[in-house]
């Protein structure tokens, strides 16, 4: 058996080095502080959980992504969380049990058995917010606005918003009387936008021609604001649920356009991401440099039912690692100062260091016998003494000097 190098990591599992970790942690704090300003309270679900709880609602889509293990104490099947949404829904439904709207946020590492085809990582750092207990489109608007605020804080520009509504497909399937097998087949074809297969399916289904025509047109209902007008004409004979979904989409887009006049908004009525647990509007944010969504969410009103309380719910999530990587350029422009202090047994120096740290400034103190200059340690300033007073002198990045240890007689 070939020996592995002990420093190698499993495929799709990464470690985060100091500079990137500093940026990521700074961004995490900014985002959570913003969530708090909107009234969203932080919760911390467990990393492992009973498998049944993890595979509730959105979990059914993630069953193949979930690492499974047997609990040596209870003998029950456990799973490593692949999505935190079901856990947060349990907290709202079972632990908090409030009658009024509840706003919760979360962040933490999740684990997938397989990596994303584009990102490759199997250990995203999920961050998100959920609003429970309100069924109106106003709460959908709120969480989308909060998602856009999160992306702005991350330093991302040229954000594009895509809107859809799984209720349209659900209502059409119900109106057509599709059985579970037909609905699943049609869902798969629509997700792949395989139009020749869609035509074959429609030819084989015993449903009204007007419904076949609507299903065939569904993949074409994407684009800008004109999409809603086209959809209203194409789906003219659809039931009231479809018409209400279109009206909600239009109203949500209008409210967002009023708040973000320069935000590009598009519609895709055949986009069924999260179909097995979403019940209404779905949305995703994109930027030109990435070939997939960087944040996504939607309405999922039934997710808490298994926990004894099916409350209305809407929310979003993103991978903090992706946001950190995409926003790194903006972060580099506001690097935090790092002050270099000499090693010296001096009460005035130690007091100055304490004062600087109390002000939130970063100070690294030299150690006896260490190698490495202030410049090599990426310091931007140095503590120097002038007539018994210690002061901070800014260093030029090109000329930061090597600071020698003081003589032994001064260290005692």
């Amino acid at each position: 058996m070939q020996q592995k190098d002990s420093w190698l990591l499993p495929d799709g599992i990464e470690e985060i080095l100091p500079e990137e970790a500093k940026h990521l942690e700074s961004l995490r704090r900014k985002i959570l502080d913003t969530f708090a300003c909107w009234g969203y309270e932080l919760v911390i679900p467990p990393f492992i959980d009973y498998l049944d709880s993890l595979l509730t609602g959105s979990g059914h889509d993630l069953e193949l992504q979930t690492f499974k293990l047997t609990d040596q104490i209870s003998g029950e099947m456990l799973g490593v969380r692949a999505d935190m949404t079901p856990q947060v829904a349990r907290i709202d439904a079972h632990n908090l049990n409030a009658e009024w709207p509840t706003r919760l946020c979360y962040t933490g590492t999740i684990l997938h058995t397989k990596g994303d085809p584009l990102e490759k990582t199997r250990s995203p750092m999920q961050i998100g917010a959920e609003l429970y207990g309100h069924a109106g489109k106003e709460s959908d608007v709120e969480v989308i606005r909060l998602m856009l605020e999160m992306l702005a804080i991350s330093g991302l520009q040229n954000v594009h918003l895509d809107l859809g509504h799984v209720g349209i497909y659900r209502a059409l399937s119900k109106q057509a009387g599709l059985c579970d097998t037909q609905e699943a087949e049609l869902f798969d074809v629509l997700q792949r936008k395989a139009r020749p297969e869609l035509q074959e399916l429609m030819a084989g289904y015993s449903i009204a021609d007007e419904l076949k025509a609507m299903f065939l047109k569904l993949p074409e209902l994407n684009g800008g604001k004109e999409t809603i007008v086209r959809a209203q004409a194409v789906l003219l004979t659809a039931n009231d649920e479809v018409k209400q979904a279109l009206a909600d989409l239009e109203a949500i887009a209008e409210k967002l356009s009023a708040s973000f006049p320069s935000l590009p908004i598009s519609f895709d009525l055949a986009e069924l991401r999260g179909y097995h647990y979403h019940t209404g509007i779905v949305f995703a944010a994109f930027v030109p440099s990435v070939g997939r969504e960087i944040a996504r969410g939607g309405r999922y009103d039934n997710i808490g039912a298994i926990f004894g309380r099916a409350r209305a719910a809407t929310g979003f999530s993103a991978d903090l690692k992706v946001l950190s990587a995409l926003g790194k350029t903006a972060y580099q422009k506001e690097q935090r100062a790092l002050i270099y202090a000499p090693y010296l047994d001096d009460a005035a120096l130690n007091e100055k260091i304490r004062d600087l740290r109390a002000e939130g400034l970063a100070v690294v103190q030299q150690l006896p016998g260490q190698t490495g200059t202030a410049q090599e340690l990426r310091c931007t300033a140095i503590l120097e003494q002038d007539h018994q007073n210690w002061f901070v002198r800014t260093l030029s990045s090109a000329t930061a000097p090597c600071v020698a240890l003081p003589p032994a007689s001064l260290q005692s």
Side-chain angles (χ1 to χ4, degrees), residues 160-169 190-193 195 217-228 230-231 235 246 249 265-273 280-284 286:
H160 174 96
L161 181 67
D162 186 64
L163 298 177
H165 201 303
V166 300
I168 294 173
Y169 175 70
L190 286 173
Q191 280 296 88
R192 293 186 286 109
K193 299 194 186 322
R195 296 189 183 184
K217 285 287 186 180
L218 208 54
E220 300 175 15
L221 297 178
N222 57 77
K225 293 180 180 179
E226 74 285 352
T227 303
I228 297 296
R230 287 193 288 118
L235 305 175
L246 288 174
L249 267 181
I265 299 177
S266 64
F267 301 87
D268 188 348
L269 302 192
E271 176 52 66
L272 301 174
R273 66 175 75 89
I281 188 173
V282 290
F283 53 86
F286 297 83

Side-chain angles (χ1 to χ4, degrees), residues 82-95:
D83 182 7
M84 296 170 73
T85 305
Q87 296 177 300
V88 180
R90 177 182 60 198
I91 290 173
D92 170 72
H94 182 70
N95 299 79

Side-chain angles (χ1 to χ4, degrees), residues 29-192:
R29 293 178 184 180
K30 287 180 182 178
I31 292 175
L32 291 181
D33 285 347
T34 299
F35 288 172
C37 289
W38 285 55
Y40 287 75
E41 299 180 287
L42 180 66
V43 292
I44 305 176
F47 189 59
I48 60 173
D49 210 329
Y50 286 116
L51 193 60
D52 289 346
S53 294
L54 292 176
L55 299 185
T56 297
S58 64
H60 288 298
D61 281 351
L62 294 172
E63 184 168 6
L64 295 178
Q65 285 280 42
T66 302
F67 280 95
K68 304 173 181 69
L69 61 152
T70 303
D71 184 5
Q72 297 301 310
I73 296 177
S74 66
E76 298 278 352
M77 287 298 296
L78 305 180
V80 179
R81 65 188 184 199
D83 182 7
M84 296 170 73
T85 305
Q87 296 177 300
V88 180
R90 177 182 60 198
I91 290 173
D92 170 72
H94 182 70
N95 299 79
L96 300 181
N97 199 27
E99 295 299 328
W100 45 85
T102 304
R103 293 171 171 86
L104 301 176
C105 63
Y106 57 90
T107 184
T109 299
I110 58 177
L111 194 62
H112 293 164
T113 57
K114 298 179 181 180
D116 182 274
L118 294 176
E119 295 299 331
K120 306 299 182 186
T121 184
R122 293 195 290 164
S123 57
M125 189 173 289
Q126 192 176 26
I127 190 164
E130 317 286 339
L131 199 166
Y132 298 94
H134 186 270
K137 53 184 175 292
E138 295 81 5
S139 50
D140 293 314
V141 171
E142 178 175 317
V143 297
I144 295 173
R145 289 178 60 215
L146 182 56
M147 180 187 73
L148 295 171
E149 187 74 16
M150 175 189 72
L151 298 179
I153 289 169
S154 303
L156 302 184
Q157 298 178 346
N158 301 319
V159 173
H160 174 96
L161 181 67
D162 186 64
L163 298 177
H165 201 303
V166 300
I168 294 173
Y169 175 70
R170 288 184 184 278
L172 285 177
S173 298
K174 182 180 177 181
Q175 185 175 345
L178 298 182
C179 66
D180 291 343
T181 301
Q182 290 173 324
E183 189 174 341
E185 287 175 342
L186 184 53
F187 165 79
D188 177 62
V189 170
L190 286 173
Q191 280 296 88
R192 293 186 286 109

Side-chain angles (χ1 to χ4, degrees), residues 5-15:
D5 291 326
S6 59
W7 58 82
L8 293 178
L9 291 170
D11 287 344
I13 305 298
E14 311 85 23
E15 51 197 3

Side-chain angles (χ1 to χ4, degrees), residues 224-299:
K225 293 180 180 179
E226 74 285 352
T227 303
I228 297 296
V229 177
R230 287 193 288 118
Q232 289 168 340
V234 169
L235 305 175
L236 186 61
T237 57
N239 60 27
D240 290 341
E241 291 179 54
V242 172
K243 293 173 182 176
Q244 185 60 56
L246 288 174
D248 288 346
L249 267 181
E250 186 174 28
I252 288 170
E254 287 176 355
K255 285 181 177 292
L256 292 171
S257 294
S259 299
F260 306 94
S262 61
L263 174 68
I265 299 177
S266 64
F267 301 87
D268 188 348
L269 302 192
E271 176 52 66
L272 301 174
R273 66 175 75 89
Y275 172 73
H276 295 299
Y277 69 99
H278 277 132
T279 58
I281 188 173
V282 290
F283 53 86
F286 297 83
V287 292
S289 59
V290 181
R292 50 156 288 183
E293 72 267 15
I294 56 170
R296 61 187 294 181
R299 177 163 289 280

Side-chain angles (χ1 to χ4, degrees), residues 366-378:
Q366 188 181 32
L367 294 171
Q370 78 166 66
T371 58
T373 66
Q375 186 179 37
E376 289 170 333
L377 293 175
R378 299 190 297 279

